[in-house]
Amino acid sequence: TFGVRVQRGPLPGAGEWTRAHGNSGNTFSTTDSIVKLPLGILWWGGVGPDRIVTRHWRAPVPLFSKGHMFIQGQHDIIGVDAYTGREMWNRHIRDVGRFPATFRGGNIIADGDCVYCVKGLTCYALDATTGETVRRYTHPLSPEQREEAEKLIPLHGMIGGMDGKRELISPSIVWEFLGMVDDCLIGTLGYDAANITHN
């Protein structure tokens, strides 16, 4: 006996949605050249409401690149086959969700090979097909940045540590902006806007 295996890859001319606002230019558009009316539903079901974020929190939209869709939950990044709706992997990263995306932007981006997500001062590069960590990018605080963060400790964090070492826990300075141009990963440090608006 024999069988036939059909494996569907990226469609020629298909656009991508690799950032919360579409692309690095925040144009809310795509270069897709094959979408035509009438539109329909490709698949139904998949990731349920227990891991995703309520729309009332204005969470980032799912991303799409090279046939993979990436959904951000409050504590999860989920990889989905965009053509079948099959969940490929779920990566649990506590408190990875960041809201609202409307003024902070998203904290996940995709380039087809990886999905990058930011939490605190660390950016995780996750393999697009497995969700495994490929690399971590960490931005240590300079003495000047640490001094500025410590000024906000009464509002946003505390000093702790072991063996007498002073270390910031829940620092107010975080990796705020995340972007990519060609092969360059771009990030900026900023104050945790979500914490500031809650106080």
Side-chain angles (χ1 to χ4, degrees), residues 43-60:
W43 48 263
W44 180 262
V47 180
D50 55 334
R51 286 176 288 164
I52 64 172
V53 178
T54 170
R55 64 185 176 84
H56 299 291
W57 288 3
R58 295 176 289 171

Side-chain angles (χ1 to χ4, degrees), residues 13-168:
E16 295 194 335
W17 199 273
T18 59
R19 314 289 188 275
H21 303 316
N23 51 43
S24 295
N26 293 332
T27 64
F28 288 92
S29 64
T30 177
T31 57
D32 194 296
S33 61
I34 58 175
V35 171
K36 294 180 176 57
L37 296 174
L39 302 178
I41 296 175
L42 184 60
W43 48 263
W44 180 262
V47 180
D50 55 334
R51 286 176 288 164
I52 64 172
V53 178
T54 170
R55 64 185 176 84
H56 299 291
W57 288 3
R58 295 176 289 171
V61 299
L63 306 183
F64 172 80
S65 181
K66 295 185 180 177
H68 299 144
M69 185 169 70
F70 306 103
I71 301 170
Q72 181 182 19
Q74 187 170 359
H75 305 291
D76 300 274
I77 306 292
I78 304 161
V80 174
D81 184 316
Y83 298 119
T84 65
R86 179 181 62 87
E87 184 174 323
M88 301 183 301
W89 52 265
N90 182 94
R91 182 64 187 275
H92 185 80
I93 303 174
R94 183 154 183 81
D95 295 324
V96 71
R98 187 173 77 180
F99 325 108
T102 47
F103 74 89
R104 296 188 75 191
N107 63 323
I108 64 170
I109 62 173
D111 69 358
D113 299 319
C114 289
V115 58
Y116 302 83
C117 62
V118 168
K119 178 186 174 185
L121 292 169
T122 302
C123 175
Y124 300 88
L126 308 179
D127 184 271
T129 57
T130 66
E132 296 295 322
T133 300
V134 175
R135 188 169 180 184
R136 282 187 180 87
Y137 304 88
T138 301
H139 195 306
L141 290 177
S142 69
E144 294 80 12
Q145 293 163 341
R146 186 173 290 270
E147 182 180 345
E148 286 298 313
E150 287 187 7
K151 291 178 183 177
L152 299 175
I153 292 301
L155 293 177
H156 309 302
M158 59 183 176
I159 295 291
M162 305 207 23
D163 301 323
K165 294 179 180 177
R166 285 163 51 89
E167 304 213 347
L168 282 172

